[in-house]
Each structure stands twice: as C-alpha cells, then as structure tokens.
Amino acid sequence: MLGHWRTFQVFSLLVFLGLGGCASWFSDDSLDPAVHLVKVEVVRAKLLEQKFILHFRIDNPNDSDLTVRGLEYRIHLADMLLAEGEHEHWITVNPKSSAFYNVPIRTNLWPKVKEVVKMLKNPNQQIPYRLEGEMETGLFIAHYVHLARNGVIIPADLITE
C-alpha cells in the first residue's frame, strides 16, 4: 500500500510539473484593442422612447485576428445615466486593421426631461459624456477589455435639418 502511495505522489508531482508548461499555451502577449466611439446616430426620438446607434471603431494592433464577442456598456450624459446594457454580436477584426461595431440602444429620458432640457438649452454647448464597460474578445477563451472613455457631444451636430 505504501508503494502505491509513493508511486501516486511521484506521478502527481510529474503531472504537476509537466502541466506548468501547458500554461504557456494559453498565455497571451497580444495588446488590447483600442475602442473609439466615433458616432452617435439618432434613429428615432419620441417622447417616451429614444433609439440610437452607437458606432464604435475597434483597432486591432496585433498580428492575428481579433474576435469580438460582445460589449457591455454604460453611457452617462453629464452626470445622468443615459443607457446601459449588453450587445452580443460577433465580428472579426483583421490583423493590424480596424472594423466598425454598431450597438443599437434604447432609452427613456422622460423621467429626466428637466435635466435634458437644461442641457439642450444651448444646442451649441458641449455636453460631456462618459462610456464605461467591457468588451469580450477571444475565440475559445474569453478575454475582457475594460473600456473607459470621456468626450463631449454638441447637440446641434445631432439635429438633422
């Protein structure tokens, strides 16, 4: 019995030491992609529901394909939460190139209409926005890229004539 136990210990040690090299199979020295919010398209703006499409550009700085599996987002307009949610859509970004990723969002600004009217009083005044979230990448094993972007929008630029 003691001989079996010793054999098991030696075998376990060899497996443990041997599997240490397997971790390098999954190590990833690739750079995180850059994600930019390039456009906010107003699809429909009614009293109780507003629909937008967020146009993101994803830059892949690596020498291999980048598979994007989805995006979880929170968008703040000034200090107000405009929208949050998830968009699960797979795309592949070729090496050393960019691709666009469009996310449809729906929101209801009616409960915050006073704040919105105050922000829109001067349509040429810049309104700060903040985008936070995570982009899920990877074909077999998920990798999460944290997003945190700040910028400004000018309401007059979104109003179509």
Side-chain angles (χ1 to χ4, degrees):
M1 181 73 175
L2 188 58
H4 291 304
W5 179 249
R6 177 58 97 200
T7 304
F8 176 73
Q9 286 179 328
V10 170
F11 177 73
S12 297
L13 180 62
L14 290 174
V15 168
F16 180 72
L17 292 174
L19 288 179
C22 293
S24 65
W25 294 351
F26 301 108
S27 70
D28 195 6
D29 295 335
S30 60
L31 300 170
D32 281 345
V35 180
H36 307 279
L37 179 62
V38 293
K39 182 179 175 184
V40 177
E41 179 183 347
V42 178
V43 176
R44 183 172 52 209
K46 292 188 175 185
L47 187 60
L48 295 176
E49 180 184 60
Q50 299 78 41
K51 292 183 178 182
F52 303 95
I53 296 178
L54 305 177
H55 297 268
F56 292 97
R57 187 185 77 232
I58 302 171
D59 299 330
N60 180 6
N62 299 302
D63 294 326
S64 59
D65 285 344
L66 171 71
T67 301
V68 176
R69 296 160 47 159
L71 179 72
E72 178 185 318
Y73 60 88
R74 286 170 305 288
I75 302 169
H76 296 266
L77 198 57
D79 291 328
M80 175 181 54
L81 179 65
L82 176 66
E84 65 180 333
E86 292 181 38
H87 183 64
E88 294 183 12
H89 178 72
W90 287 49
I91 66 166
T92 300
V93 183
N94 293 326
K96 304 282 186 196
S97 67
S98 300
F100 288 94
Y101 191 75
N102 300 328
V103 178
I105 64 168
R106 247 184 345 183
T107 188
N108 180 4
L109 296 176
W110 178 248
K112 301 167 185 157
V113 72
K114 286 183 183 179
E115 296 172 54
V116 173
V117 168
K118 198 183 300 182
M119 282 188 262
L120 297 176
K121 198 168 246 178
N122 181 357
N124 292 316
Q125 182 177 350
Q126 296 180 344
I127 300 173
Y129 75 86
R130 187 173 72 245
L131 167 68
E132 301 168 338
E134 288 184 331
M135 184 174 62
E136 185 178 358
T137 65
L139 190 56
F140 297 112
I141 299 173
H143 175 70
Y144 296 93
V145 178
H146 297 282
L147 306 175
R149 300 284 185 267
N150 295 313
V152 294
I153 61 166
I154 300 172
D157 292 346
L158 300 174
I159 300 170
T160 56
E161 297 295 327

